[in-house]
Amino acid sequence: SRPDLRSAAAMMRDLVRERPLRRGVRALVDGLRAEPPLHIERPHPTKLESAVRGFEMLARYHRLDVRGLERIPEGPAVLVGNHNGGLNPVDGLFLVHYYRRLGYDQPIYILAHDILFKHPRVAAVLRSVGIVPARRETARAVLEAGHKLLVFPGGDIETMRPYRDRGKVVLAGRKGFARLSLEHGVPVVPLVSAGSHETLIVLSQGRRVAKALRLHRWARLHSLPIMLAAPWGVLAGPTCAASMMG
């Protein structure tokens, strides 16, 4: 009958429209699940120096105060820091002072979330300044090569914590850095950053939503927050950030 033909045609149109969307979603999920290359390469001194110059402006904005650089030992070590500020890379700003004071002969490799390495060009830029995927194999390769490693065990759980918990250190029960230290016989150097989370107001951490979407399975994310952050036009001015080693 004519109504049946119309409904069949409508179903076919819906299928045609739905397939590209499904393919797009599937491609996105597959891309997020894909393992990034785990090789490490020595940071390029020129690019590293350029990065330091660029982040120096952000360090001045936050009135960065760094203490205890002399406590970072020679040779391989695991630097363990708390994580603040959401997507604002404030916790690594102490490296501006580190490289200005000690030069570029002893680079510090930084473990970062896999999602940052999904685009080849972005991944190449990150690797050129010593930022590598947060995997056990990568961490071991860095230490076995005699380099220093900077880790933020709390990950997105800590850096997206609510504003009311801005003064807390949340490592989320992760102790892999201790295992790395014992396996390779290298010291652990605690790194504490304070003040930078004052610029981030997390209205909702979104952990229930992230769990419902199973983000931990296909994107290694445990938070899907709603937040307001400075200097992105929310607060009137910067807050002071301080980093202390040892």
Side-chain angles (χ1 to χ4, degrees):
S1 63
R2 191 175 296 276
D4 290 337
L5 289 174
R6 288 177 180 174
S7 60
M11 290 177 61
M12 290 299 295
R13 286 196 300 270
D14 290 341
L15 286 173
V16 170
R17 291 172 183 168
E18 192 176 8
R19 281 179 181 173
L21 177 60
R22 285 186 175 180
R23 285 198 297 268
V25 171
R26 189 177 295 112
L28 175 62
V29 172
D30 290 344
L32 289 171
R33 282 178 172 172
E35 295 280 346
L38 301 180
H39 68 278
I40 65 168
E41 54 190 62
R42 190 170 182 83
H44 194 284
T46 303
K47 294 182 179 180
L48 194 54
E49 187 175 2
S50 297
V52 168
R53 284 200 304 269
F55 281 107
E56 198 166 23
M57 294 185 290
L58 188 59
R60 286 200 299 268
Y61 175 87
H62 284 286
R63 305 196 302 275
L64 184 66
D65 178 23
V66 178
R67 306 172 190 177
L69 282 176
E70 70 280 356
R71 297 177 182 175
I72 298 179
E74 296 284 337
V78 180
L79 281 66
V80 181
N82 59 325
H83 212 2
N84 305 279
L87 300 178
N88 191 358
V90 287
D91 296 323
L93 291 181
F94 80 94
L95 292 172
V96 171
H97 290 240
Y98 172 85
Y99 287 118
R100 290 294 191 205
R101 180 172 174 176
L102 301 176
Y104 301 94
D105 293 333
Q106 297 186 52
I108 294 179
Y109 287 78
I110 307 170
L111 293 188
H113 199 286
D114 286 3
I115 202 167
L116 299 175
F117 297 86
K118 301 306 179 182
H119 192 285
R121 291 186 180 179
V122 174
V125 171
L126 295 175
R127 291 179 187 275
S128 71
V129 294
I131 302 175
V132 294
R135 295 287 181 169
R136 292 188 184 92
E137 297 86 351
T138 311
R140 288 169 178 152
V142 169
L143 294 175
E144 287 170 2
H147 300 300
K148 296 175 178 59
L149 181 70
L150 173 59
V151 301
F152 300 104
D156 65 309
I157 294 177
E158 183 174 32
T159 197
M160 299 298 184
R161 69 189 183 279
Y163 184 74
R164 64 178 179 273
D165 295 333
R166 60 192 180 278
K168 296 182 179 179
V169 174
V170 183
L171 299 185
R174 296 167 179 170
K175 305 172 184 176
F177 64 89
R179 189 180 302 112
L180 276 172
S181 172
L182 292 173
E183 286 178 356
H184 296 274
V186 300
V188 170
V189 181
L191 166 65
V192 178
S193 177
S196 54
H197 211 68
E198 299 286 345
T199 64
L200 180 74
I201 302 175
V202 178
L203 303 176
S204 171
Q205 196 170 7
R207 295 187 66 178
R208 290 183 180 179
V209 177
K211 185 176 181 180
L213 295 175
R214 300 183 178 182
L215 293 184
H216 62 289
R217 292 189 177 182
W218 55 272
R220 295 184 67 203
L221 293 173
H222 298 80
S223 303
L224 194 65
I226 300 173
M227 57 188 176
L228 304 174
W232 320 119
V234 176
L235 299 183
T239 58
C240 180
S243 296
M244 184 174 294
M245 270 66 67

